[in-house]
Amino acid sequence: NAGVTQTPKFRVLKTGQSMTLLCAQDMNHEYMYWYRQDPGMGLRLIHYSVGEGTTAKGEVPDGYNVSRLKKQNFLLGLESAAPSQTSVYFCASSQDRGSNQPQHFGDGTRLSIL
Amino acid sequence: SQQGEEDPQALSIQEGENATMNCSYKTSINNLQWYRQNSGRGLVHLILIRSNEREKHSGRLRVTLDTSKKSSSLLITASRAADTASYFCATAPGGGNKLTFGTGTQLKVEL
């Protein structure tokens, strides 16, 4: 049972570089989410999707873009990485909206921007 | 801004003792969830308690909810070293799509 898989697990970027984080889930969940976790801040929602082809902004969307072309995949892009985007990024999915159902998390991508 | 805030921020106990952590939130909710995060891993869902429930059990976990005080508590009985982790409460104000997580309680269970 793979659940939610995030790729890559670690990455170091230079300021200004771009990259895409991939999230894949095999539970046929409708809802998917991208969070970032910083020390002392808890998890903050970046973007989310309520179904294939949809995306919506969360609490901290600036500097990020997302796409949900396939139901099982949710991509998070950084167009021009900044040191402030150094963080641990988590993807999650749920069958129904996050307030009514448990969210299932991947193990995170640790991203450092130099 | 954080909807939920856990208390204490850190807790250290001996194996076999009970651990209690608390969560306070600001606005009305439909339900409240608790999650565990082991070091270097993603969050794992523990339990969901609905606003019309006052108490819920799952194995060694007991969760209470007091909507009048906008607070919840998570009790872990007979703790084990494997319970060492961070624990987060999460709510969705107004029952919307988005969960808001607190900053967590770091629990350390020592042998």
Side-chain angles (χ1 to χ4, degrees):
Chain A
N1 295 333
V4 178
T5 303
Q6 292 184 233
T7 309
K9 298 188 187 310
F10 303 94
R11 187 71 183 268
V12 178
L13 290 179
K14 293 181 180 179
T15 298
Q17 287 185 320
S18 63
M19 79 162 295
T20 301
L21 282 65
L22 173 63
C23 176
Q25 54 96 1
D26 63 1
M27 296 170 283
N28 202 35
H29 283 171
E30 291 293 334
Y31 288 66
M32 296 187 75
Y33 313 83
W34 275 108
Y35 296 91
R36 60 179 288 173
Q37 185 176 36
D38 302 293
M41 298 289 292
L43 273 77
R44 292 182 292 169
L45 183 65
I46 305 171
H47 286 281
Y48 66 101
S49 168
V50 302
E52 181 178 312
T54 75
T55 62
K57 293 180 180 180
E59 180 184 357
V60 288
D62 294 342
Y64 306 94
N65 56 76
V66 288
S67 65
R68 183 107 180 264
L69 298 179
K70 293 183 178 181
K71 186 177 184 179
Q72 64 267 32
N73 295 336
F74 196 27
L75 278 64
L76 177 71
L78 285 73
E79 292 183 345
S80 180
S84 61
Q85 294 178 304
T86 293
S87 188
V88 182
Y89 291 86
F90 288 98
C91 176
S93 71
S94 64
Q95 180 57 42
D96 194 356
R97 59 185 181 181
S99 60
N100 293 337
Q101 294 290 330
Q103 292 190 9
H104 300 258
F105 284 80
D107 279 337
T109 294
R110 284 146 186 82
L111 183 60
S112 292
I113 315 295
L114 303 178
Chain B
S1 62
Q2 300 291 342
Q3 161 74 335
E5 294 290 340
E6 290 89 346
D7 173 63
Q9 290 187 338
L11 180 62
S12 182
I13 60 174
Q14 298 293 314
E15 198 172 48
E17 294 181 337
N18 296 341
T20 299
M21 51 206 85
N22 304 296
C23 169
S24 60
Y25 57 91
K26 298 176 183 176
T27 63
S28 62
I29 58 172
N30 290 343
N31 57 61
L32 184 143
Q33 303 183 34
W34 283 93
Y35 289 79
R36 183 189 74 232
Q37 183 180 32
N38 291 93
S39 181
R41 303 298 299 273
L43 278 70
V44 174
H45 181 263
L46 295 176
I47 199 163
L48 182 153
I49 185 165
R50 303 194 185 282
S51 58
N52 60 355
E53 298 176 306
R54 291 295 170 257
E55 187 171 309
K56 198 165 183 178
H57 297 255
S58 177
R60 294 183 296 111
L61 305 180
R62 172 179 170 252
V63 169
T64 61
L65 179 64
D66 188 334
T67 54
S68 67
K69 296 181 179 179
K70 291 186 171 61
S71 67
S72 174
S73 66
L74 171 66
L75 168 68
I76 304 174
T77 59
S79 62
R80 306 166 181 169
D83 294 327
T84 293
S86 292
Y87 292 81
F88 297 87
C89 65
T91 59
N97 292 326
K98 298 174 284 187
L99 276 182
T100 301
F101 291 82
T103 53
T105 292
Q106 291 187 351
L107 173 65
K108 184 176 181 180
V109 181
E110 300 184 82
L111 297 172

